[in-house]
Amino acid sequence: MGETLNLLFRSREDGTFELQVRENWSGLMVSGSFVQPYSSRQLNALQKKLNKFNNSLSDLREIGHRLFLALCGSEIPGASRRDASEQSVQALLRSVIQRTLRRRGTVALTFSFAAGCEEFIRYPWELLHNGEHFLLASGVFTLTRAFLRPGEIVGSDLPVHLPMRMLYISASPKNCAPLETERSFVAMQRALAGRLEKGSILLDKKEQVTYDDLVGYLSSHGGVGLLNDNETVLPCYVVHFDGHGAFGRLCPDEDCRKLNEAEGSKCLDCQASLNRVKAQTYLCFCDEEGNNRYVDTQTLREIFISSD
């Protein structure tokens, strides 16, 4: 059983914030107040702390629980909910979580942020903890962020249409730990079997993918401009990457390219300065020889937002 839980953050005229929660299983929608659990300064400090990757499990649990209680209408753990609508937000969240865990289903959490709520995008929602479980670590919840630009119709569906083309790309570079990507692909085929048989989903596959492979594919199947670009025949709407990822500072020396710790000031291999190198998240694609090539997520972002 797969469900979708949509959480929409909106700003009010009085400077406060509203959270609307809607589930697709029953169609129920409730709303309540959202009180920021962190100030801008506290959020900056929190991000720096998390980027050091030396946080204890109890610290992560505390952060995740604080975020969960904020969704339920509490500013800090232990604070009281302020009205019946906020009790409804809490009740809806807890009922969906309990039902999903009990039935071993899945829930796609979609966090949408209207104008004035941009800062909430930076919150570490991946750590959400309901007091018993890290939701994403349970293996049945996924998380997506979406920013609603001014003028967009709130609650409208993306202008996608069937059949939907998906691209599965895998990379297991020779100089990285081996991955059983074929098993992952078979599992995806099995999960999508019904849709594939009906022809409502078209699944493409590229193994040992290079960055140029991805660019070439999107040039053919991504199109340019709007999602409903009529000149693009069966555009690709979903790209699933199966491979390694890493975070840190990449050595600027083309002959080195070692990925160093985020706090490093000199490359551990060649001693090149990293002072002007920004710590980033990378995905591990393959190069022409089948070895690892780091591609930063900013580069990938530029490719995706410039394509269909």
Side-chain angles (χ1 to χ4, degrees), residues 91-105:
L92 179 58
L93 289 173
R94 294 193 182 279
S95 67
V96 169
I97 292 170
Q98 291 172 2
R99 182 173 67 245
T100 302
L101 294 175
R102 184 173 64 252
R103 298 185 180 182
R104 298 182 180 180

Side-chain angles (χ1 to χ4, degrees), residues 159-165 195 198-202 234-235 237:
V160 298
H161 51 80
L162 298 178
M164 180 180 291
R165 184 184 294 275
R195 297 289 187 179
K198 293 178 181 178
S200 57
I201 289 181
L202 305 177
L234 299 180
Y237 292 122

Side-chain angles (χ1 to χ4, degrees), residues 296-306:
D296 64 89
T297 49
Q298 180 65 27
T299 297
L300 293 172
R301 173 186 179 276
E302 295 300 327
I303 259 195
F304 288 128
I305 66 172
S306 65

